[in-house]
Amino acid sequence: MRIGLLGTGNVARALAHGWSAAGHDVLLGSRLPKERTDLGLPVAGLSETAAHAEVLVNATPGTVSVELLRSIGAPALAGTLLIDVGVGLSDDFTELSHPNSSLAEQIQEAFPLTPVVKTLCTMDSAVMSAPDGLGGPSTVFLSEDDAEAKRTTSRLLIDRGWPSSSQLDIGGITTARGQEHFALLFIGIANGLGSHMFNINVVPHLSA
């Protein structure tokens, strides 16, 4: 598929390299593409990236994501699946910018013709792109109301090393709040472990 990743940071680059290795056509989108030519990946402007993509990935800081998407424009995003992996955090990582909602919900509200799937935001970028580097299986969550959008996202997750057995559909887009709010616990766990290289695994009861 043609995958456009909005952002050029660690998350966007890790996902882009992985999907490229799986045979997808990836393009990073930047506000200043001429200044980001050293990434070993193709880079274009935001609008060009959106026009190129069958699937867009929002890998921008959650505090600016809606503004950035509005700069591209709703008509350019209409009908395009948008996978949102962003989380809005304060500069000191102690507060969420969407404490009573989620970034994914706000994107979906602002762009009603763009199906938004929330996933991959409960882990570090290195784990997103290489889950087999962990000591065992772990869980990645999906939130969205559109079943076809979830199916496409699921296939792309499989291409990133997340088998169906590791994927957990937790419901509609409002459940993205739980994924994003986990960021505060993630920071606490990382401080306790002294490492960001971990993920959680949902282990059901034997009777489930």
Side-chain angles (χ1 to χ4, degrees), residues 141-205:
F141 304 98
L142 295 96
S143 301
E144 166 57 335
D145 297 293
D146 186 300
E148 181 57 34
K150 276 183 179 173
R151 282 191 289 269
T152 300
T153 302
S154 176
R155 292 194 296 269
L156 291 175
L157 288 173
I158 290 170
D159 287 345
R160 286 305 317 112
W162 295 96
S164 298
S165 58
S166 291
Q167 299 179 28
L168 185 58
D169 181 347
I170 59 173
I173 196 65
T174 57
T175 66
R177 299 179 191 187
Q179 293 199 54
E180 294 185 25
H181 289 204
F182 178 75
L184 299 177
L185 180 56
F186 176 92
I187 292 167
I189 296 171
N191 289 337
L193 288 176
S195 171
H196 291 86
M197 295 291 287
F198 67 91
N199 193 27
I200 58 172
N201 189 31
V202 176
V203 182
H205 192 272

Side-chain angles (χ1 to χ4, degrees), residues 34-110:
K34 293 182 180 178
E35 297 180 10
R36 305 297 287 164
T37 59
D38 59 339
L39 303 179
L41 292 161
V43 183
L46 300 175
S47 294
E48 182 180 347
T49 300
H52 166 85
E54 296 173 271
V55 175
L56 275 174
V57 179
N58 174 46
T60 64
T63 52
V64 301
S65 295
V66 174
E67 174 191 351
L68 181 144
L69 291 166
R70 282 185 173 136
S71 75
I72 298 172
L77 300 175
T80 301
L81 166 60
L82 190 144
I83 299 173
D84 176 36
V85 302
V87 176
L89 282 167
S90 59
D91 291 340
D92 61 0
F93 303 108
T94 62
E95 295 183 0
L96 293 162
S97 59
H98 308 94
N100 300 310
S101 179
S102 67
L103 171 62
E105 288 175 274
Q106 294 200 4
I107 294 174
Q108 188 65 92
E109 182 179 1

Side-chain angles (χ1 to χ4, degrees), residues 120-136:
L120 287 171
C121 71
T122 54
M123 63 197 76
D124 182 78
S125 60
V127 176
M128 288 181 194
S129 57
D132 55 354
L134 298 173

